Amino acid sequence: MSGALGISALLLLLAIGVPIGVAMGLVGLVGMTLLIGFEPALIKSSVVLFEAVSRYELGVLPLFLLMAHLCFAAGASRDFFAAAAGLVGHRRGGLALATIAGCAGFGAVSGSSLATAATMGLIGLPEMRKRGYSTALATGSVAAGGTLGSLTPPSGALIVFGIIAEQSIGKLFTAAIIPALTQTLFYMATVIVVCRWRPGIAPASPRLPWKERIASLVRVLDLAAVVGLVLCGIALGWFTPTEAASVGATLSLALCAWRRRLNRKSLRHALASTLRTTGMLYVVIVGALIFAVFMSFTGLAQQIASFMQAFQGQPIVAIIAIAVLLLLLGSVLDGLALMLLTTPILLPIVTGLGLSPIWFGIFLVRTMEIGFVHPPIGINLYVIQGIAPDIPLARVFKGVLPFLAADFLHLALLIFVPALALWLPHWLS
Amino acid sequence: MDPVADSPEEPVKEIAMPRSLFYLGSAGLLTVMIVEAIAVAGRHLRYPLLGALEIVQAAIVPTACAAMVITTLCQAHAIVHLLLDRLPQPLRGWTRRAGWFAAGVLFAALCTGEVWLTGDFWNSFEETDVLHIPLQPLRILVTVTAGLLAAIFFHRAARAERA
């Protein structure tokens, strides 16, 4: 009862615009006060605050953010798009394919869906419109491609999940590699199918000479090497995620200097942007951890888990029910709120059903990604419309529909074939 | 979630924030970056940097504290906009003030709890195991940060009330 009341209060506070971290922390603190008394609730919450801000593992967040901002400063987004456009841009729908490939490459350095959609939108969208692409396909490919930023490791969403769920961030990153690759392939297949069905919506562009194509590929080699080293280092156990993030940030700083893009202004901007976003994430994580402690006192997760015992023989049914619940919640809550609200409740249920928490992290982020492109929230759709205000929102949504279908197919694949996420970490271990 | 909210291809704009906070946060962040990078290199070259983890833990506290205050001053906290953006203007202003007041209450409570804990640990001389870095200054910094956040949120709620 107290758990359900707490969730209702949280949803109300979120709806009236209370900052997410504050809403979770406040509900957690008040809820604990009612359950265990004011003094223990206050002490417990304050212990959570100090432990969170002094936690070694949380250092991974600002360091990966700094790496992303330094890669921006080095011109990563334009280079990734140029390399992909050079390779496939001359084919029918090639620029849409290049946008998706660019999103996958850039998503690996940005770790964020919104940043990937906004950045690739600024680069890919004008190019596609100039070449006569349908506005629906152009905006749809950018909006959907942008979601790759959340899953492609190193991903901010997976770091936050790892901290809240107390799971290995390295394992989560390794587990996300194949789902992110297959998601990219699903989106590319969608573009190919749509272009075969209606060839007029994406005319072919002139073919670039091989010399230029190779030059554009060479330009991203250093960036790809940094990302590759960070991911390989984590996957092969050369360093911890926090160490990987510091190596990545240091190399990105060196890369910026190597490319002559490092100056006082760009470094200051990278640091200031990193600090501003880091503060937002710390408040959210502290609030979520206080809320999670409150949830553990309510016993709500155990009650739902005992109800879920009915599905013991068929966890797939339970997972489909959870997926539907997440998709419904994802249509009214933004991705971060969805993850932080549901993780303390759903994780014990999922592990109770005998499923891997690492798999659940990937599944949760994948579901969250779908929320980025489906209305009424669909934040990526609004980002794209902000970049191209002359394109109506309905047109952007129409463009994203085929990609949404691909998303649902991919989610189903992830549910029915958990090895998609679990095989690589298992094999590497 | 959107950890990186900026669009990097836009011209680089100055983000307004107090210099002291910027330098405090940046110093901590760069310390973490350099110490960890040296620790990794040292370990692979068989010259391990002892206590690197403790330096990181100590350096991350000022970074996190400065970052939370900067985010609050920049009004960059994560908010669900679904209902808020659809409310009529006077009601929207009222709900925003209520949100700031709620935030003030939370951080005031956390500040009180931190004062309590800092007082409890005052004579126990907490320190890290390898480098013996004292934890007391870090606790004081977290307490001051929570108090500062509460003050900013209450001030914002009150100022908006008068306006």
Side-chain angles (χ1 to χ4, degrees):
Chain A
M1 182 65 182
S2 51
L5 278 176
I7 291 172
S8 310
L10 176 61
L11 289 173
L12 180 72
L13 288 177
L14 291 176
I16 64 166
V18 176
I20 295 171
V22 170
M24 301 193 95
L26 203 60
V27 169
L29 180 64
V30 173
M32 275 196 283
T33 302
L34 295 174
L35 290 176
I36 58 172
F38 180 64
E39 189 183 320
L42 198 62
I43 297 295
K44 188 80 199 156
S45 305
S46 304
V47 167
V48 167
L49 171 66
F50 185 74
E51 282 185 352
V53 296
S54 59
R55 200 162 152 179
Y56 168 79
E57 292 83 0
L58 264 177
V60 73
L61 263 178
L63 288 171
F64 270 130
L65 287 172
L66 183 62
M67 175 184 157
H69 283 291
L70 290 169
C71 284
F72 293 162
S77 45
R78 216 166 273 283
D79 287 349
F80 274 123
F81 179 76
L87 278 183
V88 291
H90 58 281
R91 298 184 185 279
R92 199 174 285 283
L95 286 179
L97 293 174
T99 301
I100 287 163
C103 283
F106 185 68
V109 294
S110 84
S112 149
S113 171
L114 183 57
T116 307
T119 309
M120 297 312 292
L122 282 169
I123 299 163
L125 209 51
E127 198 66 26
M128 284 191 273
R129 294 184 80 178
K130 198 167 75 187
R131 303 283 167 90
Y133 274 52
S134 130
T135 49
L137 176 67
T139 52
S141 56
V142 176
T147 65
L148 285 163
S150 287
L151 190 62
T152 311
S155 138
L158 287 174
I159 294 172
V160 174
F161 175 82
I163 289 161
I164 302 294
E166 296 184 337
Q167 296 300 316
S168 154
I169 293 168
K171 271 191 183 170
L172 284 165
F173 281 177
T174 315
I177 292 173
I178 294 179
L181 282 175
T182 48
Q183 186 187 349
T184 308
L185 292 176
F186 268 56
Y187 284 165
M188 288 183 156
T190 306
V191 172
I192 292 167
V193 169
V194 169
C195 291
R196 282 266 168 92
W197 179 42
R198 295 178 62 194
I201 63 170
S205 309
R207 184 191 288 263
L208 283 180
W210 270 107
K211 199 178 162 188
E212 282 183 41
R213 289 195 219 179
I214 291 169
S216 63
L217 270 179
V218 169
R219 268 200 298 275
V220 292
L221 274 184
D222 48 2
L223 281 164
V226 171
V227 175
L229 179 72
V230 166
L231 290 183
C232 285
I234 294 173
L236 300 174
W238 295 341
F239 28 68
T240 65
T242 311
E243 289 173 341
S246 71
V247 169
T250 310
L251 291 176
S252 305
L253 192 67
L255 196 74
C256 251
W258 167 258
R259 290 179 163 215
R260 298 179 192 283
R261 304 287 286 266
L262 184 67
N263 52 44
R264 199 171 156 270
K265 202 173 180 184
S266 65
L267 181 62
R268 190 189 151 83
H269 186 262
L271 286 166
S273 306
T274 302
L275 288 173
R276 196 176 55 174
T277 317
T278 299
M280 182 269 280
L281 288 171
Y282 264 93
V283 170
V284 160
I285 287 169
V286 168
L289 290 173
I290 296 174
F291 182 75
V293 176
F294 162 60
M295 274 293 133
S296 68
F297 281 119
T298 64
L300 181 70
Q302 287 84 345
Q303 285 166 21
I304 300 177
S306 60
F307 169 73
M308 290 296 223
Q309 292 296 320
F311 297 104
Q312 196 63 41
Q314 58 229 125
I316 291 285
V317 179
I319 287 301
I320 291 171
I322 289 173
V324 171
L325 173 76
L326 289 172
L327 289 170
L328 286 175
L329 280 175
S331 62
V332 288
L333 283 177
D334 87 339
L336 188 58
L338 175 72
M339 171 185 281
L340 298 173
L341 171 66
T342 55
T343 300
I345 301 162
L346 295 180
L347 187 64
I349 297 168
V350 168
T351 47
L353 288 168
L355 297 165
S356 155
I358 297 290
W359 172 85
F360 179 66
I362 307 298
F363 165 78
L364 185 58
V365 172
R366 192 68 193 84
T367 319
M368 198 181 98
E369 277 183 329
I370 297 176
F372 285 132
V373 285
H374 83 73
I377 295 264
I379 187 93
N380 279 13
L381 307 182
Y382 294 97
V383 168
I384 303 303
Q385 214 221 352
I387 295 168
D390 57 313
I391 303 174
L393 197 59
R395 185 93 182 134
V396 183
F397 179 60
K398 187 186 168 195
V400 93
L401 276 179
F403 296 97
L404 257 180
D407 275 334
F408 286 122
L409 276 177
H410 189 248
L411 187 66
L413 185 70
L414 190 61
I415 291 172
F416 288 102
V417 189
L420 200 66
L422 297 178
W423 175 78
L424 192 58
H426 179 72
W427 182 69
L428 285 171
S429 69
Chain B
M1 64 162 289
D2 303 296
V4 184
D6 296 337
S7 171
E9 295 299 326
E10 287 171 4
V12 175
K13 287 178 281 188
E14 285 279 322
I15 299 170
M17 59 181 69
R19 278 189 178 190
S20 52
L21 287 173
F22 171 75
Y23 289 127
L24 178 71
S26 301
L29 187 56
L30 292 174
T31 306
V32 173
M33 183 183 93
I34 293 164
V35 167
E36 281 287 67
I38 292 172
V40 171
R43 194 173 63 233
H44 288 282
L45 296 171
R46 304 200 176 184
Y47 290 103
L49 180 64
L50 279 182
L53 196 144
E54 292 179 359
I55 299 174
V56 170
Q57 271 184 309
I60 204 74
V61 175
T63 303
C65 290
M68 287 194 286
V69 179
I70 286 169
T71 305
T72 307
L73 290 173
C74 294
Q75 303 203 33
H77 284 291
I79 288 174
V80 175
H81 287 272
L82 180 67
L83 188 62
L84 191 69
D85 290 353
R86 288 165 176 77
L87 290 175
Q89 187 50 45
L91 197 56
R92 193 190 309 175
W94 186 87
T95 52
R96 294 192 87 177
R97 283 201 300 275
W100 290 328
F101 184 75
V105 170
L106 175 70
F107 284 108
L110 289 174
C111 177
T112 312
E114 287 297 336
V115 169
W116 200 324
L117 284 175
T118 309
D120 276 355
F121 287 114
W122 194 260
N123 292 319
S124 63
F125 302 105
E126 284 180 287
E127 56 183 23
T128 59
D129 296 331
V130 180
L131 300 177
H132 304 291
I133 300 170
L135 297 186
Q136 207 175 54
L138 303 179
R139 283 200 182 276
I140 293 171
L141 184 60
V142 174
T143 310
V144 170
T145 303
L148 201 55
L149 290 174
I152 295 169
F153 278 118
F154 280 138
H155 177 255
R156 195 168 285 159
R159 201 181 53 178
E161 189 77 59
R162 277 204 300 276

